[in-house]
Amino acid sequence: MAPPEPKSLPTAGGKEIGIHHDTVKDIADKLEKDLRALKSLRYDNKLEDDSPTEAALGDYKAGHSLYNTVSAAQTQIGNTYTQFLTAYEGVIAALRASEKNHRKADDKSKQGVQNAATPHNIV
């Protein structure tokens, strides 16, 4: 579940807002490295591997009930973990897209300024 959108974004109060492209890219790279490390720990698989089997909890009513509780908890934890990884990937993708879009806009703006400063031959 995605967080709600803000109702209104704060204004810059007349100040210039700048994006340091390389800094944003470095942050995205570090987050991606951390995400790969987190995924390599295989917590989702370990959760399944380390869970008791139904037989291990005994063939009686309380054992079956406990197994159902453990299975439901395992499923919920697994779903939450998957949602976390998906959100983490989304943050990285958003940072990369933002950096790319701002870099393009800044390059286009810079090109416009350079074109405006270049004397044109008027006949």
Side-chain angles (χ1 to χ4, degrees):
M1 181 184 307
E5 292 286 326
K7 292 182 182 177
S8 63
L9 296 174
T11 63
K15 296 180 182 177
E16 182 178 331
I17 297 176
I19 298 287
H20 297 279
H21 308 291
D22 293 336
T23 301
V24 174
K25 184 181 178 310
D26 289 346
I27 290 169
D29 290 345
K30 287 177 184 176
L31 289 174
E32 193 162 43
K33 180 181 175 187
D34 288 344
L35 180 60
R36 279 194 307 272
L38 181 61
K39 285 181 174 182
S40 75
L41 296 172
R42 301 180 47 247
Y43 285 127
D44 50 347
N45 292 335
K46 288 179 183 180
L47 184 62
E48 289 181 29
D49 295 345
D50 295 339
S51 294
T53 63
E54 187 171 10
L57 296 177
D59 190 18
Y60 52 96
K61 188 175 180 178
H64 293 292
S65 179
L66 180 58
Y67 175 76
N68 290 336
T69 300
V70 169
S71 287
Q74 174 190 4
T75 299
Q76 193 61 29
I77 292 168
N79 289 342
T80 301
Y81 181 74
T82 299
Q83 289 173 353
F84 172 76
L85 293 179
T86 300
Y88 204 144
E89 289 168 342
V91 167
I92 294 167
L95 283 170
R96 293 201 186 284
S98 180
E99 184 274 331
K100 183 179 178 181
N101 289 339
H102 282 88
R103 188 179 296 268
K104 278 184 182 177
D106 286 350
D107 289 348
K108 192 172 185 177
S109 178
K110 182 179 176 182
Q111 185 63 43
V113 169
Q114 288 173 345
N115 287 345
T118 303
H120 298 284
N121 291 334
I122 301 176
V123 180

